[in-house]
Amino acid sequence: MGKKNSKLKADTITRLTTDTYFTEKEIRQWHKGFLKDCPNGQLTEQGFIKIYKQFFPQGDPTKFASLVFRVFDENNDGSIEFEEFIRALSITSRGNLDEKLHWAFRLYDVDNDGFITRDEMYNIVEAIYQMVGQQPVADDENTPQKRVDKIFNQMDKNHDNRLTLDEFREGSKADPRIVQALSLGGD
């Protein structure tokens, strides 16, 4: 069953060394590990969630992992193939700031309409709280809602309650604390 995916074709390697920040050797190593974990060459959403649960045993990463899965699964076929995996990994681990911000924008823009709404951002921020097992207290400064309000107050320049890629990118560059605030990395 996994035979067709067990060997990377030369043109695939050429394409991936061109499209990513990985060397041929690194691509081959990642492919070997990918096939070890996914013998049929496809990582399902449940498999992806399982990986996240290993890294966040104290919380529930299910919602966040599902949202990240959606960005990795470029062709929306319900599974992550090796090429999708390595391209996303390249950007998140080695991409420049603009590439990482564009990737993060795609994560937050859940409905892919080109805008991040307050609800979409709240959805992600709440998922991060669940993942790390942090239960926000209502009068705490660090509730998901207060965090989203703070980010929107700084980024939403035209006050239309949605962020464009440019607003998101410029706001993140103007105040690096915003990028940290998008995660639970502190303010």
Side-chain angles (χ1 to χ4, degrees), residues 30-152:
W30 276 110
H31 186 251
K32 188 176 178 182
F34 186 85
L35 286 181
K36 188 171 178 251
D37 293 336
C38 311
N40 70 348
Q42 298 183 328
L43 178 57
T44 64
E45 186 170 350
Q46 287 310 308
F48 198 72
I49 290 168
K50 194 172 153 188
I51 292 167
Y52 264 81
K53 284 185 174 177
Q54 292 171 359
F55 289 100
F56 297 95
Q58 75 284 15
D60 181 7
T62 306
K63 184 176 177 183
F64 186 78
S66 290
L67 292 163
V68 173
F69 180 88
R70 179 187 56 78
V71 183
F72 270 70
D73 183 18
E74 295 171 358
N75 64 3
N76 299 315
D77 69 352
S79 66
I80 299 170
E81 290 78 34
F82 177 71
E83 288 190 50
E84 292 172 321
F85 172 79
I86 203 73
R87 276 195 295 271
L89 187 65
S90 175
I91 291 169
T92 57
S93 66
R94 297 182 179 177
N96 63 40
L97 182 59
D98 276 333
E99 290 170 322
K100 287 179 178 179
L101 289 174
H102 186 256
W103 195 92
F105 184 87
R106 289 177 50 224
L107 174 65
Y108 283 85
D109 180 17
V110 177
D111 65 4
N112 293 317
D113 68 351
F115 300 98
I116 301 171
T117 64
R118 284 179 183 265
D119 285 344
E120 285 173 322
M121 185 170 284
Y122 177 80
N123 196 22
I124 300 279
V125 172
E126 183 185 52
I128 293 170
Y129 273 77
Q130 290 171 5
M131 178 172 67
V132 299
Q134 184 173 332
Q135 297 303 316
V137 186
D139 59 348
D140 185 4
E141 271 304 302
N142 270 341
T143 65
Q145 192 59 58
K146 287 181 181 171
R147 200 172 275 272
V148 169
D149 289 343
K150 183 177 180 182
I151 292 166
F152 262 79

Side-chain angles (χ1 to χ4, degrees), residues 155-168:
M155 283 191 180
D156 187 15
K157 296 299 180 200
N158 62 358
H159 307 289
D160 64 352
N161 282 315
R162 60 187 197 171
L163 301 177
T164 63
L165 175 59
D166 284 340
E167 284 175 319
F168 181 77

